[in-house]
């Protein structure tokens, strides 16, 4: 979805609290770059999920009969690091100072305590909220991932998770 202006923290807090995640969007130029990149990936890879599994979890790929790259997803059970915390390549339109990360995980039964442990390990000194996109908005539907939004706290000592 395209939006015309960046969203402040307080609006994001309300969107996440009210579970209105569909209200999040990208600025027009950012949305165009996102769509263009998704088209490139879909042209080269069997699925966007195959691309992300290769990129995030370093699972090797092969070229299938259609000439597209794909990974053996059964190899996910053997990855050395099942939870990967990375900056989102295509963040939504947030005001300056808000960072957008993703927790990619092979653990399909990850719970809130585990998510918050990953956040605390990576966002010390930040105020944080997190969410999972609604199913129809997930560009990578076959790899579980959590969106993490954060902004720096004045107090560098702890992490405040407001979700």
């Amino acid at each position: 979805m395209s939006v015309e202006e960046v969203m402040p923290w307080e609006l994001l807090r309300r969107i996440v609290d009210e579970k209105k995640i569909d209200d999040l969007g990208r600025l027009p130029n950012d949305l165009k770059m996102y769509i263009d990149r998704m088209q490139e990936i879909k042209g080269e890879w069997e699925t966007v999920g195959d691309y992300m599994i290769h990129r995030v979890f370093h699972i090797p790929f092969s070229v299938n009969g259609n000439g597209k790259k794909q990974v053996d997803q059964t190899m996910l059970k053997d990855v050395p690091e099942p939870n990967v915390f990375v900056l989102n390549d295509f963040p939504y339109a947030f005001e300056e100072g808000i960072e957008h990360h993703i927790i990619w995980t092979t653990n399909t039964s990850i719970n809130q305590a585990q998510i918050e442990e990953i956040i605390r390990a990576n966002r010390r000194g930040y105020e944080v909220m997190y969410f999972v996109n609604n199913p129809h908005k997930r560009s990578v539907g076959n790899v579980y991932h959590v969106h993490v939004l954060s902004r720096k706290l004045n107090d560098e000592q702890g992490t405040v998770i407001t979700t």
Side-chain angles (χ1 to χ4, degrees), residues 123-127 151-160:
R123 297 279 80 195
R124 185 171 178 81
Y126 286 81
E127 181 178 7
R151 67 177 180 177
K152 198 86 168 129
L153 290 170
N154 291 331
D155 172 12
E156 299 283 331
Q157 297 305 307
T159 301
V160 176

Side-chain angles (χ1 to χ4, degrees), residues 34-44:
Y34 170 78
I35 291 169
D36 290 348
R37 182 64 181 132
M38 286 296 112
Q39 290 302 85
E40 288 175 20
I41 291 168
K42 290 174 182 176
E44 184 177 347

Side-chain angles (χ1 to χ4, degrees), residues 8-41:
W9 185 262
E10 294 72 24
L11 176 58
L12 295 173
R13 167 86 273 132
R14 190 167 64 247
I15 287 171
V16 171
D17 285 349
E18 295 174 4
K19 299 188 182 348
K20 293 184 176 182
I21 304 306
D22 288 348
D23 290 350
L24 297 175
R26 294 176 176 90
L27 295 172
N29 286 342
D30 295 337
L31 181 59
K32 181 183 180 334
M33 286 191 307
Y34 170 78
I35 291 169
D36 290 348
R37 182 64 181 132
M38 286 296 112
Q39 290 302 85
E40 288 175 20
I41 291 168

Side-chain angles (χ1 to χ4, degrees), residues 69-145:
K69 297 175 184 176
Q70 68 181 51
V71 297
D72 178 357
Q73 295 187 20
T74 63
M75 294 179 70
L76 282 172
K77 65 182 177 354
D78 298 322
V79 297
E81 182 52 56
N83 304 307
V84 179
F85 186 89
V86 296
L87 198 59
N88 188 347
D89 291 335
F90 297 99
Y92 295 116
F94 304 138
E95 71 183 0
E96 190 173 328
I98 298 174
E99 297 179 33
H100 186 178
H101 290 83
I102 304 287
I103 299 171
W104 295 98
T105 183
T106 62
N107 179 1
T108 56
S109 59
I110 193 169
N111 62 39
Q112 183 175 346
Q114 292 167 314
I115 291 168
E116 292 181 5
E117 181 180 328
I118 294 165
I119 290 170
R120 282 189 180 85
N122 289 279
R123 297 279 80 195
R124 185 171 178 81
Y126 286 81
E127 181 178 7
V128 178
M129 63 180 105
Y130 63 92
F131 64 90
V132 174
N133 259 338
N134 295 322
H136 68 275
K137 198 168 181 170
R138 294 178 194 161
S139 57
V140 185
N142 62 334
V143 183
Y144 192 79
H145 57 286

